[in-house]
Amino acid sequence: MTETDTDTDDLLWLEELNPQQREAVVHGEGPILVVAGAGSGKTRTLAYRVAMLITRGVPPERILLLTFTRRSAQEMVSRAEEAMGRGGPRITRVWGGTFHATANRLLRIYAKAVNLSDDFTVMDRGDSQDLINIIRHDMELHTKEKRFPRKGTCIDIYSRVVNSSDALEDVLARHFPWCDAWEDELKQLFQQYVVRKQQQNVLDYDDLLLYWEQLVCHSEVADLIAERFDHILVDEYQDTNRVQAAILRAMRRNNHNIMVVGDDAQSIYSFRAATVRNMLDFPQEFPGTHVVTLDQNYRSVAAILETTNRIIGDAPERFTKDLWSNRGHGQRPQLVTCPTEEQQDTYVVDRILEHYEQGIPLQKQAVLFRAGHLSSTLEIELGRRNIPYHKYGGLRFLEAAHVKDLLCFLRIIENPRDNIAWFRALQLLDGIGPAAAGRAVKHIAEHATDPTALSTFKAPAASRKQMGEFVEMIGDLVKMDAKSPAPQIERIRAFYDPILKKVHENPTVRSRDLESLEQLATQSGSRSAFLADMQLDPPTSTSDLAGPPMIDEDWVVLSTIHSAKGCEWDVVYLIHAADGFLPSDMSTGTPEEIDEERRLTYVALTRAKDFLYVTWPLRYYHKRTPFSDRHSYAQLCRFFTSEVLETVDAVSAEHAGSDYVDYVPQDPVDVASHLRSMWD
């Protein structure tokens, strides 16, 4: 189908697109791969593709838009509506969201096809670790003579195996070699983990994808689900794993209308089992794929793109694209050699203040680094000079204890077999420890998992008063309408608020988070939907984790490179660009790992719009030995080859922030001669 076939001449919004974007948007039937370079307008392209499909008559509910955050999907749908104008159709019925949220939605509809109860609840990572830890203790693995892997490591191994489709033996050998002696025990542990989840009617994040894969590959409704959507659009395809790729292949077994958008040069999540091969191999998986390359960059000046193009040009396998910009040449990137870390900090802070005085707000300046600990000395220098900053990272909203506490009460009512939720809720009560909680959970199981059966449980004397109040609350919740979660949270808070004040610091601030939860719940159509939203796409942070209130409304951004993906700033400072830190010495064992570190460097540099500074200290002092002068010398990041160095300005910060004065004496003292004469 050609553009003229679709009668697009009267669609004025298409004029906002460049030729490559337009080619992707007006594409007809069949698979299309959009190789979207950094800053090339992929969000607009996807949004306008949705608008084009609906303009052609595709019902919104027959379009599936898969993104890596719900907010991204909402933004694309909103921009599509805006492009089509007020007179256009409402398109809120588009299936838009994350892979996990879409899996949850489909499984609620087709649960019986995969022998699943549709009232399942979803565990977050913390819950998964807790369940693994219980099984570790039940199997007495914690008593082994040699230390058994901790619960977090166990979950990392399990998740890597199921998402990569690799054998446990191979995952241990490549990614967790220090754990390979425990292969048999880990296999037994994971078997029990799967059994316990099934007994408790709970799914973890990985299960959502695994069940979806089975649903569309092997169930009797597989064709029905595949035919439910006329078109599938996928964002950030380079960040998908093998299971997600298998799901998409199955969803397009008959209808090949699929559009994937991504940048192989920004594939940096292999630690989550994402594989760039999904994107590189897409044309082979879907024969006849039409490939469109978006190479016009709307973000950076040309001088920055000259550097980034040469860095990614050394990648051994990629979709060839050289980004270009019509924003002008601009200042060449500055490669700054610093004698020490302290002088690196001084140089960076001096430049931050210099650009601030030139009119660039602090929030439009960002300092990026490979790992979180690399900003520690810089944070001290920023504090000393009274420059506010926000550091990206830390706990997500659902990882905050008080939020998990409140949600566990709702999970109990939604799914009384959710033992992890029961254990957490019961141990909030005075006098209830793990043993008593275990007896209570067993008592409930013996009474057909009826949550009100707790009223006949013989609680320890110290907890009887509070247990009575707990039982009363459970009874009230059971009677409430499952379609109205907000009143249920209000009832839970009446019971939980006194506990909050006893067990957590900063109860006033934490209470505000729970007020926000209650407010969010008013927008949900059911308790089940609210819990799914909270588990699969929660708010990003909590009040009490944001630090003290900022008097200054402006602040510098500090961020790991991974957290900075998708963002942009006027000025970017990439610090610690020394080999061993970038690339990390933990990620240079294979050519594939080195390639990913190159892509990580590329992602960092392409965040910059106007000014880019890359700094690296020559000398690192060993912090483990205070008051010692022990140090080592570094080498520049290996990705700054001689060809790359031709595109940057080399700067020395040797005297930055020091008391050095270029003084030429009239009559210098010959100290060397004096010292020799001492031994005459």
Side-chain angles (χ1 to χ4, degrees):
M1 184 182 294
T2 66
E3 183 176 336
T4 53
D5 293 332
T6 63
D7 191 21
T8 60
D9 292 340
D10 58 342
L11 299 179
L12 297 179
W13 43 271
L14 286 177
E15 297 177 5
E16 302 174 23
L17 305 173
N18 66 37
Q20 291 74 29
Q21 292 171 334
R22 184 176 179 126
E23 181 184 353
V25 166
V26 302
H27 175 72
E29 302 288 311
I32 176 172
L33 167 64
V34 180
V35 182
S40 61
K42 69 178 180 63
T43 300
R44 170 177 287 183
T45 303
L46 273 168
Y48 282 28
R49 173 67 173 172
V50 172
M52 175 57 70
L53 291 175
I54 294 173
T55 300
R56 287 173 174 167
V58 179
E61 63 273 14
R62 296 190 63 80
I63 298 173
L64 175 59
L65 174 60
L66 293 168
T67 63
F68 273 78
T69 68
R70 180 174 59 179
R71 286 170 294 281
S72 295
Q74 290 172 337
E75 179 188 356
M76 291 177 194
V77 170
S78 175
R79 291 176 71 167
E81 275 194 336
E82 183 181 339
M84 297 170 68
R86 294 185 179 180
R90 299 291 296 172
I91 62 175
T92 52
R93 296 194 309 277
V94 169
W95 277 57
T98 65
F99 274 89
H100 293 91
T102 302
N104 177 74
R105 188 174 174 184
L106 287 170
L107 289 172
R108 300 288 177 187
I109 300 172
Y110 301 106
K112 291 182 174 59
V114 284
N115 198 28
L116 181 67
S117 175
D118 62 5
D119 63 347
F120 65 86
T121 47
V122 180
M123 299 192 302
D124 64 18
R125 178 180 168 82
D127 298 325
S128 299
Q129 290 183 8
D130 290 342
L131 181 55
I132 279 284
N133 211 33
I134 291 171
I135 302 170
R136 282 174 81 249
H137 279 73
D138 290 348
M139 294 175 63
E140 298 185 346
L141 295 172
H142 64 296
T143 63
K144 297 293 184 182
E145 183 178 343
K146 292 184 178 180
R147 184 169 64 87
F148 191 76
R150 294 184 179 275
K151 60 182 182 180
T153 303
C154 292
I155 283 295
D156 287 342
I157 296 171
Y158 172 85
S159 186
R160 171 79 70 158
V161 169
V162 298
N163 282 293
S164 67
S165 303
D166 291 334
L168 174 60
E169 178 184 7
D170 296 335
V171 167
L172 292 176
R174 181 169 180 180
H175 304 289
F176 303 90
W178 62 93
C179 302
D180 59 2
W182 299 104
E183 181 182 346
D184 292 339
E185 289 84 353
L186 284 167
K187 187 172 292 185
Q188 295 171 29
L189 176 68
F190 298 152
Q191 288 173 341
Q192 277 300 307
Y193 176 61
V194 171
V195 169
R196 298 278 183 100
K197 286 187 295 180
Q198 293 171 352
Q199 290 173 344
Q200 298 175 28
N201 193 31
V202 296
L203 303 183
D204 60 22
Y205 291 151
D206 299 325
D207 288 329
L208 289 168
L209 297 182
L210 294 175
Y211 272 85
W212 185 8
E213 180 188 24
Q214 293 298 306
L215 191 64
V216 296
C217 289
H218 305 294
S219 77
E220 60 188 36
V221 297
D223 286 334
L224 180 64
I225 296 173
E227 293 166 3
R228 187 180 187 118
F229 303 104
D230 292 335
H231 287 267
I232 296 178
L233 295 82
V234 188
D235 190 18
E236 304 285 9
Y237 192 64
Q238 78 280 352
D239 292 334
T240 54
N241 59 41
R242 291 179 184 172
V243 176
Q244 291 164 321
I247 289 169
L248 292 172
R249 286 196 298 271
M251 294 281 284
R252 298 292 80 180
R253 55 161 59 88
N254 301 318
N255 172 347
H256 293 164
N257 291 334
I258 180 171
M259 175 186 194
V260 299
V261 179
D263 184 2
D264 54 304
Q266 297 187 64
S267 178
I268 58 174
Y269 292 113
S270 67
F271 63 92
R272 297 179 187 167
T275 172
V276 71
R277 295 255 42 112
N278 285 348
M279 186 167 176
L280 295 174
D281 296 341
F282 185 85
Q284 288 73 49
E285 294 288 349
F286 291 90
T289 292
H290 182 61
V291 180
V292 176
T293 300
L294 306 184
D295 56 7
Q296 181 176 357
N297 180 284
Y298 294 92
R299 175 186 300 154
S300 305
V301 294
I304 292 174
L305 296 180
E306 288 176 7
T307 301
T308 58
N309 283 336
R310 293 201 183 187
I311 282 182
I312 203 62
D314 289 332
E317 188 176 9
R318 69 185 185 107
F319 287 106
T320 303
K321 58 183 176 301
D322 285 328
L323 298 182
W324 60 276
S325 171
N326 57 13
R327 290 195 58 229
H329 190 267
Q331 175 182 291
R332 279 161 54 107
Q334 308 289 289
L335 178 62
V336 187
T337 303
C338 308
T340 65
E341 294 173 87
E342 288 74 17
Q343 285 169 299
Q344 173 181 248
D345 299 335
T346 300
Y347 180 87
V348 169
V349 175
D350 285 347
R351 296 293 80 70
I352 289 172
L353 292 175
E354 180 181 306
H355 284 297
Y356 180 73
E357 291 301 322
Q358 293 169 354
I360 300 178
L362 297 179
Q363 286 189 54
K364 293 189 176 182
Q365 303 188 55
V367 182
L368 307 184
F369 31 84
R370 176 64 176 83
H373 67 88
L374 294 175
S375 69
S376 56
T377 61
L378 177 63
E379 292 175 49
I380 295 172
E381 181 66 11
L382 288 168
R384 187 182 71 82
R385 296 172 70 169
N386 200 29
I387 300 175
Y389 64 88
H390 280 185
K391 185 173 182 179
Y392 280 69
L395 291 179
R396 295 170 60 220
F397 188 80
L398 280 190
E399 292 170 339
H402 56 294
V403 177
K404 290 177 69 71
D405 288 348
L406 187 137
L407 291 179
C408 74
F409 295 114
L410 280 182
R411 288 169 53 190
I412 284 169
I413 306 305
E414 184 66 21
N415 175 20
R417 285 188 278 167
D418 191 339
N419 288 353
I420 294 298
W422 274 113
F423 269 102
R424 185 178 191 96
L426 288 165
Q427 290 183 78
L428 291 170
L429 308 183
D430 293 334
I432 299 286
R439 292 196 302 272
V441 170
K442 183 178 179 181
H443 178 84
I444 295 164
E446 291 170 348
H447 290 77
T449 62
D450 178 2
T452 62
L454 197 61
S455 60
T456 59
F457 173 68
K458 188 175 181 180
S463 65
R464 283 175 189 168
K465 179 179 181 300
Q466 214 172 26
M467 179 65 81
E469 296 170 350
F470 181 50
V471 169
E472 182 181 353
M473 178 197 66
I474 292 294
D476 291 343
L477 293 175
V478 169
K479 297 173 187 175
M480 288 184 171
D481 185 359
K483 294 183 179 179
S484 303
Q488 296 174 55
I489 292 178
E490 183 181 11
R491 177 64 182 91
I492 292 170
R493 290 190 59 209
F495 169 76
Y496 177 68
D497 278 351
I499 297 175
L500 174 67
K501 294 173 182 175
K502 288 177 61 178
V503 302
H504 292 304
E505 296 178 353
N506 304 321
T508 302
V509 178
R510 293 174 187 265
S511 184
R512 290 196 207 106
D513 286 333
L514 303 186
E515 289 175 11
S516 299
L517 265 185
E518 189 175 334
Q519 184 63 34
L520 284 170
T522 63
Q523 303 168 26
S524 278
S526 68
R527 181 177 59 221
S528 172
F530 175 71
L531 283 171
D533 283 346
M534 287 299 99
Q535 296 289 73
L536 300 177
D537 196 12
T540 54
S541 62
T542 61
S543 303
D544 64 319
L545 296 174
M550 306 295 291
I551 297 175
D552 197 325
E553 294 182 355
D554 201 7
W555 58 82
V556 175
V557 174
L558 307 184
S559 175
T560 62
I561 302 173
H562 284 98
S563 296
K565 187 172 178 291
C567 301
E568 60 181 38
W569 294 273
D570 290 0
V571 188
V572 167
Y573 310 87
L574 175 60
I575 63 174
H576 291 283
D579 228 78
F581 296 97
L582 186 69
S584 167
D585 55 6
M586 300 293 291
S587 301
T588 54
T590 66
E592 292 78 14
E593 289 176 338
I594 295 173
D595 288 343
E596 177 153 331
E597 292 292 300
R598 177 185 289 105
R599 296 193 293 268
L600 196 62
T601 306
Y602 175 81
V603 166
L605 303 186
T606 53
R607 301 309 95 197
K609 296 171 68 176
D610 299 311
F611 301 97
L612 174 61
Y613 299 88
V614 180
T615 66
W616 67 292
L618 274 172
R619 184 183 298 131
Y620 284 90
Y621 284 88
H622 301 295
K623 303 297 191 298
R624 295 180 183 175
T625 53
F627 312 113
S628 167
D629 194 41
R630 290 186 59 207
H631 61 272
S632 56
Y633 285 94
Q635 293 184 359
L636 176 63
C637 168
R638 70 185 69 181
F639 305 131
F640 286 84
T641 61
S642 57
E643 290 78 13
V644 174
L645 292 177
E646 292 174 356
T647 67
V648 304
D649 289 336
V651 177
S652 174
E654 184 174 359
H655 308 309
S658 73
D659 295 328
Y660 176 85
V661 178
D662 189 13
Y663 170 68
V664 179
Q666 297 272 338
D667 186 19
V669 177
D670 189 357
V671 178
S673 178
H674 171 69
L675 293 177
R676 290 195 302 272
S677 69
M678 291 173 61
W679 304 99
D680 289 344

